[in-house]
Amino acid sequence: MKLLRYIFFPIVPIYYAITWLRNKGFDLGVLSSKSYNFPVICVGNLSVGGTGKTPMIEYLIRLLKHDYKVATLSRGYKRKSDGFQLGNAQANADVLGDEPFQFYSKFKDDITVAVDANRQEGIAKLCELNPQPEVILLDDAYQHRKVQAGFNILLTTYSDLYPNDFMLPTGNLREPKSGANRAQLIVVTKCPEGISESEKLHIVNAINPKLHQQVFFSWVSYAKQVVSKQNTLLLEQLPEFTLITGIANPKPLFQFLIEKDLRFKHLNFKDHHHFTSEELQQFESLDLIVTTEKDYMRLMQYPQLASKLYYLSIEAVIDRSSVFNAAVQNFVAQY
């Protein structure tokens, strides 16, 4: 795979030119973009792969849900439904996609969860609801320039910072690095919890934020227990198990479990993987399964796994959280 990426290096300037011209078209108003008279917050990244968008959306939900009617709007990647869909009692991962269904499962009493590949149409449909959302969180919509979010939060991972990356197909960047200029907040995600001030300064210098931007650092906090539909087990109580992952980067989770001295085998699949009947049959023969919360959303629908299927939840922790929170809350309070 890496060899192919280097072979395709001559395509990089072409992809760069196309995405740069598209962005310039939106910046100059040649291509139309719709803005809104209520707060729309976009969470996204410049790169493909997992940068921690789901934990960030959940962080924002927790921050805002007590004071505002919050809605999330996602594409619903790899769902089996079409068009605009709302989270409701009949919804599952096939209807909403695994990540939006995770939002619905955790926050259904407090927020509205919707999916639509066309973000403009999705926002319009949300505005028809009664009551209408007061804040809309756009999940993974940084490149959806037809919607002009009032506030952009750009994520980049500690181990793969966008200033050090290349454009597709050789690197992982979806658009030129200059696209970062649209963000008000830049969050370096998945940092080691003990990241030093000198390393933070080095990263900030590499990012070189504009005057309108602030840079923050975050890390993942893992739960102390795994949860099933009917049971909870502390991590230290876990017998030998099988870890099943279908996420972009399972390495941090794998390392966390290793550091806990837990005994497990690891079955790793591609991000958003739809499990086949043969794979599910293999899972049935396992004694205990631990998975991510996102993967659990896809696996929970199979009753044959219910007694052995557990998930480990995570939350984003943000350094200087009071400053970060104030920036978001001040934006929302303007409306």
Side-chain angles (χ1 to χ4, degrees):
M1 185 65 179
K2 287 184 178 180
L3 178 60
L4 282 175
R5 287 196 166 208
Y6 286 116
I7 290 173
F8 287 130
F9 183 77
I11 300 174
V12 170
I14 300 171
Y15 186 78
Y16 180 99
I18 292 170
T19 54
W20 185 88
L21 286 170
R22 176 180 181 270
N23 277 334
K24 207 65 179 174
F26 281 110
D27 294 340
L28 296 175
V30 177
L31 299 176
S32 63
S33 181
K34 185 173 176 58
S35 58
Y36 298 89
N37 61 355
F38 55 86
V40 176
I41 300 174
C42 171
V43 174
N45 50 24
L46 295 186
S47 63
V48 297
T51 54
K53 294 182 294 293
T54 300
M56 180 57 65
I57 289 287
E58 292 186 353
Y59 183 98
L60 294 172
I61 291 170
R62 293 187 181 97
L63 176 64
L64 298 170
K65 68 186 179 72
H66 298 296
D67 299 313
Y68 301 95
K69 295 181 179 67
V70 176
T72 64
L73 178 61
S74 310
R75 174 186 173 187
Y77 184 63
K78 286 202 172 181
R79 61 187 168 112
K80 296 180 180 179
S81 63
D82 296 314
F84 180 79
Q85 300 286 339
L86 272 177
N88 55 39
Q90 287 72 48
N92 56 31
D94 288 342
V95 174
L96 296 178
D98 48 19
E99 290 158 339
F101 185 52
Q102 180 175 322
F103 302 150
Y104 177 76
S105 299
K106 294 175 82 165
F107 303 106
K108 58 187 171 186
D109 295 330
D110 299 311
I111 69 168
T112 300
V113 175
V115 294
D116 198 325
N118 186 318
R119 301 305 205 282
Q120 273 196 20
E121 289 186 5
I123 292 175
K125 293 286 181 63
L126 283 170
C127 289
E128 294 173 1
L129 299 178
N130 187 15
Q132 180 179 327
E134 297 172 311
V135 181
I136 294 179
L137 305 178
L138 297 181
D139 175 28
D140 194 15
Y142 200 78
Q143 283 73 39
H144 289 263
R145 299 291 309 273
K146 290 183 179 181
V147 167
Q148 186 177 338
F151 200 79
N152 287 287
I153 301 175
L154 179 68
L155 309 184
T156 183
T157 58
Y158 169 84
S159 61
D160 190 19
L161 296 169
Y162 73 82
N164 304 328
D165 207 345
F166 292 95
M167 292 283 293
L168 288 166
T170 298
N172 291 318
L173 295 184
R174 300 172 177 179
E175 61 173 297
K177 299 170 189 178
S178 59
N181 296 342
R182 300 195 301 274
Q184 282 76 31
L185 305 183
I186 300 173
V187 183
V188 182
T189 62
K190 303 183 181 180
C191 296
E193 190 169 344
I195 182 171
S196 67
E197 293 301 320
S198 61
E199 189 170 11
K200 290 179 189 176
L201 181 60
H202 176 76
I203 292 172
V204 170
N205 288 337
I207 291 173
N208 191 23
K210 304 299 181 183
L211 291 176
H212 69 279
Q213 296 178 318
Q214 297 183 78
V215 178
F216 295 87
F217 296 84
S218 76
W219 51 89
V220 170
S221 173
Y222 291 94
K224 296 180 180 179
Q225 66 281 326
V226 293
V227 179
S228 72
K229 281 186 177 180
Q230 299 175 331
N231 198 14
T232 298
L233 292 173
L234 294 173
L235 291 179
E236 56 262 32
Q237 295 176 338
L238 280 176
E240 187 169 354
F241 60 90
T242 300
L243 174 67
I244 296 177
T245 57
I247 58 177
N249 181 15
K251 290 181 180 178
L253 172 59
F254 181 88
Q255 188 60 39
F256 170 78
L257 296 173
I258 289 290
E259 290 172 359
K260 289 289 181 181
D261 292 324
L262 298 174
R263 294 174 292 114
F264 62 94
K265 299 174 184 176
H266 186 196
L267 298 179
N268 188 29
F269 300 89
K270 289 183 179 180
D271 197 17
H272 300 279
H273 178 72
H274 282 298
F275 299 102
T276 66
S277 55
E278 291 80 9
E279 288 162 352
L280 292 169
Q281 192 172 13
Q282 177 190 2
F283 300 165
E284 279 187 68
S285 65
L286 302 174
D287 294 324
L288 180 64
I289 298 170
V290 174
T291 190
T292 69
E293 195 167 4
K294 185 172 84 169
D295 293 313
Y296 183 82
M297 296 300 129
R298 299 196 303 281
L299 289 167
M300 65 185 291
Q301 62 184 301
Y302 302 107
Q304 66 269 36
L305 302 180
S307 64
K308 62 185 69 180
L309 182 65
Y310 290 76
Y311 69 86
L312 178 66
S313 63
I314 62 172
E315 289 187 13
V317 179
I318 300 179
D319 189 37
R320 298 192 299 132
S321 59
S322 60
V323 181
F324 178 93
N325 295 352
V328 174
Q329 290 167 326
N330 290 342
F331 163 72
V332 175
Q334 294 174 11
Y335 291 84

